[in-house]
Amino acid sequence: MKIKSMFTAFNLKALLFITSITIGFSSLSVCRAQSSVIGKWKEVSVKQFYTPEFAKKIGKAVVEGQAPANSTYQWELKSDHTYIINGGHGKDDKTTGEWSVSGNQLTMKAAAQVRKGQGAEIYTFVITGNTMTRTMLIQPPYNEMVFKQEDTSIRL
């Protein structure tokens, strides 16, 4: 008596084809997410959420502010996974580092953080049209007054 296999040559080819298509589509979604953050972004607003202890001292839990019209604070996320942030505390301030994206998480690690052996900054981000909103939970000792920050930028 001959045992009949449920996997014929056709079934195996079809299974291989479906697996290849699935793997192909999953890698495309990663590329799209990473390529969607590439470019220059100008920060237009920042919202800071204060720790309960600090909020009690100053009488407010959240402060939101628009960037001044002449603000030079810009992020440039390059396709080689490096970044440059211009602006900041002085008009000539510049920060450089490396970035990566996994799902909706943008991880940025400045060159100075690498030299000091510090951890990276991890943002949850959402892009709608030409607007990107990044949210970062801040852990002490980096900042003991603010526990969460939300930045909104527009694509240049």
Side-chain angles (χ1 to χ4, degrees):
M1 181 166 134
K2 187 175 180 183
I3 299 176
K4 193 173 186 181
S5 172
M6 63 184 234
F7 292 110
T8 64
F10 176 76
N11 286 345
L12 287 174
K13 287 179 185 177
L15 183 61
L16 180 62
F17 178 75
I18 291 169
T19 303
S20 298
I21 294 295
T22 303
I23 290 170
F25 280 131
S26 66
S27 66
L28 283 177
S29 64
V30 170
C31 293
R32 251 184 271 135
Q34 294 205 10
S35 67
S36 66
V37 299
I38 294 172
K40 290 186 179 182
W41 299 88
K42 181 176 180 171
E43 193 162 274
V44 294
S45 70
V46 177
K47 187 188 285 189
Q48 293 184 324
F49 299 82
Y50 293 126
T51 62
E53 300 82 27
F54 188 69
K56 188 176 180 180
K57 287 180 187 177
I58 65 168
K60 53 176 112 174
V62 178
V63 172
E64 183 172 11
Q66 301 297 315
N70 60 352
S71 172
T72 61
Y73 201 71
Q74 295 179 7
W75 300 47
E76 182 179 3
L77 299 165
K78 298 181 176 188
S79 60
D80 66 356
H81 291 269
T82 62
Y83 70 84
I84 299 172
I85 300 175
N86 290 305
H89 299 294
K91 92 178 195 184
D92 294 330
D93 278 356
K94 184 192 273 189
T95 303
T96 61
E98 298 177 353
W99 67 271
S100 63
V101 167
S102 178
N104 68 340
Q105 285 194 331
L106 171 62
T107 301
M108 299 178 73
K109 191 160 193 171
Q113 289 172 307
V114 172
R115 284 192 300 272
K116 293 178 183 177
Q118 296 176 331
E121 296 173 351
I122 301 172
Y123 299 87
T124 302
F125 75 96
V126 175
I127 297 177
T128 307
N130 286 331
T131 303
M132 175 167 42
T133 303
R134 296 176 309 275
T135 304
M136 178 174 57
L137 298 178
I138 302 170
Q139 302 294 323
Y142 294 110
N143 193 326
E144 295 180 4
M145 299 179 302
V146 177
F147 75 91
K148 181 169 97 170
Q149 182 167 309
E150 192 174 282
D151 304 317
T152 302
S153 301
I154 56 170
R155 188 184 299 272
L156 296 176

